[in-house]
Amino acid sequence: MRLFSEKYRLLTWISILLIGGFLTTIIASYIVSRDAIRQNVVEQALPLTSDNIYSEIQKDILRPVFISSLMASDTFLRDWIIAGETDITQIKRYLKEVKEKYNTITSFLVSENTQNYYYAGGLLKAVKKDEPRDTWFYRVREMKTDYETNVDNDMANRDTMTIFINHRVFDYDGKFIGATGVGLTLDTMTAILDSYQKRFHRNIYFTDDKGEIKIAGKSMKNIHGSISKLPGVSSIAKDILNRDTRPTQLEYQHDGATILMSSRFIPELDWYLLVEQDITDDVRPIERVFFINIIVSAIVTLLILALTLLAVNRYQRRLEIIAGTDALTGLLNRQAFEIVFQQAILDSERRRIPLSVILFDIDFFKMVNDNHGHLTGDRVLKDIASITKGAVRESDIVTRWGGEEFLVLLKDCPLEKAAALAEKIRVMIASHDFELGASELCMTTSLGVVEYAYRETWLSFFGRADKALYQAKNEGRNRVVASSSPATPAAQ
């Protein structure tokens, strides 16, 4: 109840701030512009900054840059090149999945070792230094930056004019081993710009760092060449090309109209984003409304962000503690372990590495509770959790499975090593002084060890672990039983 009351209290504050901010903006806009723009105040006085457009670009256009970066750092892609590029179907499937998942026109990889050009359809060709269409690869190889944007024809898609994101790939020693990335068609980019211009009622286009216009919407089909030769824009061309990632506000005159321009450099594309608005006779009242709204919006936004961040952090910490850990031992609980285990299974099957678990139970634990009380029993459980965590690797996951049962997830660990580790845990627990009194027998455990079989179901895997555990108990307790296969258990 307390959690919900705090949540609704936060929502109340956010609502009050939003309503206050909107009311202030609307009232201020009305007072300033009622005599100048009258009925059009709502449609034409809405402020727009380059941040609005930039946030949209991050979602629609910069996405391929991030995709290419992920591909270049993907261990599968690098390992496949280092291993000798023997199975082309693997890289073909990988590039096809990238292309389909992220809806790009193309995805590619060019190997430095073999000079082979791979795409979603397989091996396209081998690049050559004396081939003009392949000069981009040798340029990328010598680049100082990690990636570039390049407009070129895509041979894999009928020479469609495409914007490529070319990202350098390095091995684990920092040696260049290839180039990878994705591409968007110019038609796609033009359609994106057209949608922006329709939504925001602004002229939007891109130039490179030399001022050459690279992309403009269809509504600006007559805009081309260098901005230094465009009427009006030529007077501020040098101020535009300042490589400042913050918005630069500029204006120029053209055919008697005052044009306001917002320019900012986007390092991910190595291009400039230019946003234009014809303000003409309404410039003064709109500027006043603009600055008032900016101030109000900034204050409201900062307050909302501060309150939201405070609340999110607080509730996130609480939820993570409640949902993910066992309150007594501090270990992962069973629900949180299921998420970790699913990820470990995917990693094991993708990388073809062994995955094992140790499921163990405290022998005669009920006697501890009966003879010494539940507080002592809780202390024993915490001690055993601490002993187990100290015995395994940092990458291994220790979970309280339930009651006096514990489970250890061992990544990249075959059955033999897992059984040896289980024996180590058994010995450490058996030799530990739990301070139960001189007359009390030492604490012992029964442990079952299994290795995951490829494509094995959850029920089968943990069912084998459970059978191995109970076999250890039936054979006298204080021992390790390893299940060597889904059908054949073997005692240690």
Side-chain angles (χ1 to χ4, degrees):
M1 293 298 295
R2 182 179 179 183
L3 183 64
F4 282 99
S5 65
E6 291 184 3
K7 177 180 178 181
Y8 290 122
R9 187 183 309 163
L10 173 64
L11 291 176
T12 301
W13 277 108
I14 292 176
S15 299
I16 292 173
L17 290 171
L18 286 174
I19 292 172
F22 290 145
L23 286 176
T24 303
T25 302
I26 292 172
I27 293 172
S29 299
Y30 172 74
I31 293 174
V32 173
S33 60
R34 61 185 175 182
D35 296 330
I37 55 176
R38 298 182 181 183
Q39 300 300 323
N40 294 327
V41 61
V42 174
E43 298 177 359
Q44 298 183 16
L46 295 177
L48 175 66
T49 68
S50 65
D51 288 338
N52 300 118
I53 304 296
Y54 181 64
S55 63
E56 294 290 332
I57 291 171
Q58 284 182 311
K59 179 178 68 176
D60 294 330
I61 299 180
L62 297 186
R63 189 162 164 258
V65 175
F66 302 135
I67 296 170
S68 299
S69 177
L70 291 174
M71 293 172 66
S73 59
D74 194 315
T75 55
F76 162 75
L77 186 145
R78 292 188 289 176
D79 289 343
W80 186 81
I81 297 176
I82 295 171
E85 310 169 32
T86 55
D87 189 353
I88 295 180
T89 59
Q90 291 181 334
I91 199 65
K92 174 183 176 181
R93 182 167 57 248
Y94 173 84
L95 294 174
K96 181 180 180 181
E97 288 180 355
V98 168
K99 176 183 175 182
E100 293 177 352
K101 180 177 181 180
Y102 298 108
N103 195 29
T104 62
I105 187 64
T106 186
S107 59
F108 62 92
L109 167 68
V110 180
S111 169
E112 169 69 5
N113 295 331
T114 63
Q115 306 286 290
N116 284 340
Y117 187 120
Y118 304 97
Y119 73 118
L123 176 61
L124 180 64
K125 65 171 186 175
V127 297
K128 299 178 181 179
K129 284 187 176 181
D130 55 357
E131 172 59 50
R133 303 185 65 150
D134 298 335
T135 56
W136 69 269
F137 174 73
Y138 301 97
R139 180 181 66 251
V140 168
R141 183 172 64 179
E142 303 301 327
M143 285 192 323
K144 300 300 182 182
T145 56
D146 288 337
Y147 69 91
E148 68 163 11
T149 57
N150 180 41
V151 179
D152 205 346
N153 294 323
D154 184 9
M155 183 182 295
N157 289 283
R158 300 179 180 179
D159 282 343
T160 302
M161 189 63 70
T162 303
I163 299 177
F164 290 98
I165 310 298
N166 303 320
H167 208 295
R168 286 152 58 88
V169 183
F170 298 93
D171 64 14
Y172 302 104
D173 295 322
K175 179 183 176 183
F176 177 79
I177 57 174
T180 189
V182 295
L184 291 177
T185 63
L186 282 180
D187 288 341
T188 301
M189 299 286 282
T190 301
I192 291 174
L193 291 188
D194 282 337
S195 69
Y196 290 169
Q197 292 179 173
K198 184 177 181 180
R199 289 167 56 194
F200 297 109
H201 305 288
R202 304 291 186 269
N203 288 334
I204 306 167
Y205 53 101
F206 289 94
T207 73
D208 61 18
D209 59 355
K210 296 180 181 178
E212 292 291 326
I213 296 175
K214 305 301 292 186
I215 304 176
K218 293 179 180 178
S219 61
M220 300 175 64
K221 59 183 179 180
N222 294 326
I223 302 296
H224 54 81
S226 173
I227 59 174
S228 62
K229 297 180 180 179
L230 290 181
V233 182
S234 58
S235 63
I236 59 172
K238 293 182 178 180
D239 296 325
I240 292 173
L241 305 177
N242 57 11
R243 299 190 73 85
D244 194 345
T245 58
R246 298 169 300 176
T248 300
Q249 303 298 334
L250 304 166
E251 68 176 72
Y252 65 91
Q253 304 294 322
H254 179 57
D255 290 340
T258 299
I259 309 298
L260 180 68
M261 174 181 285
S262 178
S263 167
R264 74 188 300 164
F265 180 67
I266 303 179
E268 293 88 350
L269 290 174
D270 201 27
W271 288 349
Y272 288 88
L273 166 67
L274 306 183
V275 182
E276 292 182 348
Q277 178 189 0
D278 184 353
I279 56 175
T280 59
D281 296 334
D282 296 327
V283 61
R284 291 182 180 179
I286 289 179
E287 283 181 348
R288 294 177 62 185
V289 173
F290 174 80
F291 288 116
I292 291 173
N293 287 341
I294 283 293
I295 294 172
V296 173
S297 299
I299 294 173
V300 172
T301 301
L302 288 174
L303 290 173
I304 291 174
L305 287 176
L307 289 174
T308 303
L309 181 61
L310 177 64
V312 168
N313 287 341
R314 180 184 299 172
Y315 290 122
Q316 183 177 3
R317 285 194 296 268
R318 288 186 180 180
L319 291 174
E320 287 177 349
I321 293 173
I322 293 171
T325 60
D326 175 62
L328 176 63
T329 62
L331 302 176
L332 283 182
N333 61 25
R334 191 161 180 170
Q335 291 74 22
F337 172 80
E338 291 180 0
I339 300 175
V340 175
F341 177 73
Q342 291 294 345
Q343 184 60 45
I345 289 295
L346 294 175
D347 189 52
S348 173
E349 292 183 346
R350 182 174 67 87
R351 298 172 56 196
R352 292 289 195 267
I353 59 175
L355 178 72
S356 301
V357 297
I358 302 171
L359 178 63
F360 69 90
D361 180 83
I362 305 173
D363 297 330
F364 305 111
F365 181 73
K366 186 175 183 300
M367 294 176 59
V368 176
N369 286 331
D370 292 342
N371 296 336
H372 300 277
H374 288 278
L375 291 178
T376 300
D378 290 346
R379 178 173 57 80
V380 170
L381 289 174
K382 290 192 287 186
D383 287 350
I384 288 180
S386 178
I387 293 170
T388 306
K389 288 185 68 175
V392 300
R393 304 167 299 182
E394 289 186 0
S395 60
D396 298 328
I397 306 299
V398 182
T399 305
R400 187 178 179 190
W401 198 242
E404 62 270 24
E405 284 189 342
F406 294 83
L407 186 140
V408 183
L409 177 65
L410 305 170
K411 300 178 182 179
D412 196 9
C413 183
L415 183 65
E416 295 79 10
K417 290 185 178 180
L421 183 57
E423 179 62 16
K424 177 183 177 182
I425 294 172
R426 184 194 68 79
V427 172
M428 290 178 67
I429 293 175
S431 60
H432 183 77
D433 182 11
F434 289 91
E435 300 178 357
L436 299 177
S439 61
E440 192 68 46
L441 293 174
C442 66
M443 299 299 300
T444 62
T445 53
S446 300
L447 304 94
V449 185
V450 293
E451 180 179 344
Y452 175 77
Y454 184 73
R455 297 295 185 185
E456 187 177 14
T457 65
W458 171 288
L459 292 177
S460 172
F461 185 46
F462 288 100
R464 290 196 295 118
D466 200 55
K467 288 181 181 179
L469 168 61
Y470 279 94
Q471 183 177 339
K473 284 186 173 294
N474 293 334
E475 292 178 3
R477 293 183 169 84
N478 191 23
R479 66 187 63 235
V480 175
V481 170
S483 176
S484 57
S485 69
T488 308
Q492 178 178 316

